[in-house]
């Protein structure tokens, strides 16, 4: 079954350019309902107001990192089932293992391309 | 030749010591009440006793003077070395300039990226029905992308200047360390730095690796299969 591209997606990154790149790639993949947040704190506030079908988050942000956001989402009864993809320049083994342990659905290392983003979204939704 | 001030200091010290000992002697003998000892006699005895200390005291005084002289010489060498390092120039001009150059690099990179993204977005959202108009738009946007890419030349030059400043700083630190008897000590981190380090550790913030990703996407994918 193809991925439902009508789901609202939340892109979390403190670099406006990266948000713009991911937005454009998502648009190319058919997603149209795309929201963004500049850090984990803002993302969490938005997630408490609106139910997102997918979160794509950077790791290195302040005041709340993507790792903290992931752990907060997974420990919140209402949000814990939200699919979560980490897109980050953090490429050490300890980062990947920590994210997996915290419940991330997939992990993309920057720099990445459109095909990688697509394949990870497909993998998350079991296609 | 002996320094008169130092000789006086030794003599004064010995005299003070002799007086203290004489007073103690007078007090001790007179307290017993059998015989009275006058201060002059006690002082003679005490001076005779302290005279034996003079050589030791003078040796210590010379050693102390040598140590002070060596320290003064090291301080003078440090001052001379620091003056040749151009620390003032570094602090006043080069380091602030390096900071400004890097700020400019960030700004120019962001502007260029924006311009390239705008061109790409214009192509993405253009009407493709009118082929001639679409082709003209693509040509125009491609030129804009090429122009935007000229930022690399300028930012490359700016980064080159910063690298030169860092190399100069490194050379001067090396010269300073070579010239001074400084051990390999660790700098004490400020509270703010300690808090930042702790946060980086807790949040596993390693940042991008210099030689590219430590774990490639394929290896990561294998963990999620």
């Amino acid at each position: 079954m193809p991925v439902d591209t009508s789901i609202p997606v939340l892109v979390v990154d403190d670099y406006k350019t990266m948000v713009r790149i991911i937005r454009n790639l998502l648009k190319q993949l058919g997603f149209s309902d795309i929201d963004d947040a500049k850090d984990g704190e803002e993302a969490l506030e938005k997630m408490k107001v609106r139910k997102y079908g997918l979160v794509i988050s950077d790791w290195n942000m302040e005041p709340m990192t993507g790792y903290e956001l992931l752990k907060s989402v997974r420990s919140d009864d209402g949000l814990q089932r939200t699919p979560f993809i980490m897109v980050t320049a953090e490429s050490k083994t300890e980062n990947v293992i920590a994210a997996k342990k915290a419940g991330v659905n997939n992990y993309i290392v920057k720099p990445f391309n459109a095909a990688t983003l697509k394949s990870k979204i497909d993998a998350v939704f079991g296609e | 030749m002996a320094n008169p001030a130092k000789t006086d200091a030794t003599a004064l010290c010995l005299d003070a010591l002799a007086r203290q000992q004489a007073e103690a002697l007078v007090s001790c003998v007179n307290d017993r009440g059998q015989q009275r000892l006058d201060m002059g006699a006690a002082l003679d005895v005490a001076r005779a006793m302290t005279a034996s200390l003079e050589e030791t005291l003078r040796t210590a005084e010379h050693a102390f003077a040598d140590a002070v002289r060596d320290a003064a010489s090291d301080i003078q060498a440090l001052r001379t070395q620091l003056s040749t390092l151009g620390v003032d120039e570094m602090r006043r001009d080069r380091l602030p300039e390096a900071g400004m150059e890097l700020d400019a690099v960030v700004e120019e990179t962001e502007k260029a990226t924006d311009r390239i993204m705008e061109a790409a977005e214009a192509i993405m959202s253009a009407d493709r029905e009118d082929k001639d108009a679409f082709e003209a738009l693509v040509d125009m946007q491609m030129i804009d992308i090429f122009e935007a890419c000229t930022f690399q030349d300028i930012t490359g030059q700016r980064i080159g200047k910063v690298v030169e400043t860092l190399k100069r700083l490194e050379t001067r630190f090396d010269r300073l360390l070579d010239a001074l008897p400084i051990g390999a000590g660790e700098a004490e981190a400020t509270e703010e730095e300690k808090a930042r380090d702790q946060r980086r550790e807790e949040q596993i913030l390693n940042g991008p690796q210099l030689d590219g990703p430590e774990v490639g996407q394929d290896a990561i994918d294998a963990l999620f299969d």
Side-chain angles (χ1 to χ4, degrees):
Chain A
M1 200 171 78
V3 175
D4 177 9
T5 53
S6 68
I7 56 166
V9 182
L10 180 62
V11 179
V12 193
D13 203 306
D14 53 349
Y15 274 86
K16 282 185 286 179
T17 306
M18 188 46 69
V19 169
R20 203 164 160 184
I21 290 168
I22 296 174
R23 260 183 182 278
N24 281 323
L25 291 175
L26 288 170
K27 277 186 197 169
Q28 289 285 74
L29 297 175
F31 292 90
S32 55
D33 189 355
I34 307 160
D35 208 350
D36 61 74
K38 66 178 186 308
D39 61 70
E41 204 170 79
E42 192 183 317
L44 206 54
E45 280 169 23
K46 289 194 171 188
M47 290 180 79
K48 283 178 178 168
V49 176
R50 191 177 182 203
K51 190 173 170 57
Y52 289 95
L54 174 64
V55 174
I56 296 175
S57 176
D58 183 26
W59 185 306
N60 194 345
M61 300 173 290
E62 292 295 353
M64 184 191 272
T65 64
Y67 182 48
E68 283 174 310
L69 173 66
L70 171 65
K71 288 195 282 188
S72 297
V73 167
R74 291 293 178 253
S75 62
D76 185 308
D77 289 344
L79 304 174
Q80 64 184 189
R81 295 176 67 84
T82 311
F84 197 114
I85 298 177
M86 196 72 86
V87 180
T88 175
E90 299 291 349
S91 66
K92 287 205 157 195
T93 312
E94 59 173 339
N95 291 93
V96 184
I97 289 170
K100 191 161 193 288
K101 208 172 154 189
V104 81
N105 295 91
N106 222 310
Y107 198 104
I108 300 174
V109 178
K110 290 178 184 172
F112 62 98
N113 56 33
T116 303
L117 181 64
K118 184 181 183 319
S119 69
K120 300 313 158 218
I121 293 174
D122 287 346
V124 166
F125 290 101
E127 201 183 311
Chain B
M1 201 174 113
N3 184 330
K6 283 180 188 170
T7 308
D8 285 347
T10 305
L12 282 170
C13 187
L14 285 168
D15 193 55
L17 190 60
R19 281 182 186 284
Q20 279 176 3
Q21 286 183 339
E23 280 166 12
L25 201 58
V26 167
S27 166
C28 183
V29 172
N30 292 350
D31 280 354
R32 294 189 176 208
Q34 295 166 342
Q35 220 176 335
R36 295 206 62 81
L37 181 66
D38 68 69
M39 187 61 186
L43 204 52
D44 287 344
V45 173
R47 276 184 177 141
M49 285 164 64
T50 53
S52 65
L53 291 173
E54 185 171 354
E55 194 182 335
T56 309
L57 201 58
R58 286 199 188 285
T59 306
E61 184 196 339
H62 288 309
F64 178 68
D66 287 346
V68 169
R69 218 174 3 256
D70 287 349
S73 168
D74 283 349
I75 291 168
Q76 188 54 44
L78 175 63
R79 291 178 65 160
T80 307
Q81 196 63 33
L82 284 173
S83 69
T84 64
L85 289 177
V87 174
D88 210 36
E89 184 219 359
M90 277 282 173
R91 190 183 60 176
R92 190 187 59 234
D93 301 324
R94 287 192 174 266
L95 289 176
E97 271 170 23
M100 284 189 282
E101 296 286 5
L102 288 177
D103 284 342
V105 167
V106 172
E107 196 179 317
E108 282 158 11
T109 310
E110 201 172 321
K111 272 187 196 165
T113 312
D114 270 354
R115 202 169 157 189
I116 293 166
M117 299 271 286
E118 268 162 29
E121 284 167 4
I123 294 169
M124 261 174 69
S125 60
D127 175 13
R128 292 164 195 242
E129 295 293 312
D130 183 344
K131 290 221 177 290
D132 289 341
F134 182 69
E135 203 171 286
L137 175 93
V138 170
D139 285 347
M140 195 178 74
Q141 297 300 341
M142 293 306 277
I143 289 168
D144 215 31
I145 289 171
F146 289 138
E147 286 172 357
C149 288
T150 57
F151 83 96
Q152 205 276 335
D153 175 37
I154 300 159
T155 54
Q157 289 181 48
R158 290 194 191 285
I159 291 169
K161 281 164 78 177
V162 176
V163 170
E164 194 203 318
T165 297
L166 288 176
K167 280 184 179 164
R168 197 174 285 218
L169 201 59
E170 188 184 12
T171 308
R172 291 177 186 190
F173 271 129
D174 282 347
R175 267 169 40 203
L176 181 66
L177 288 171
D178 288 345
L180 294 170
I182 300 172
E186 290 260 333
E188 178 73 20
T190 64
E191 289 305 313
E192 196 185 334
E193 287 167 342
K194 282 180 193 165
R196 215 166 28 230
D197 288 348
Q198 193 184 341
R199 170 110 181 120
R200 296 192 73 79
E201 199 175 313
E202 282 167 3
Q203 290 303 308
I204 328 173
L205 298 172
N206 296 304
Q209 303 301 295
L210 208 54
D211 302 323
E214 181 183 284
V215 187
Q217 190 65 53
D218 289 347
I220 292 170
D221 292 349
L223 280 172
F224 285 87
D225 282 343

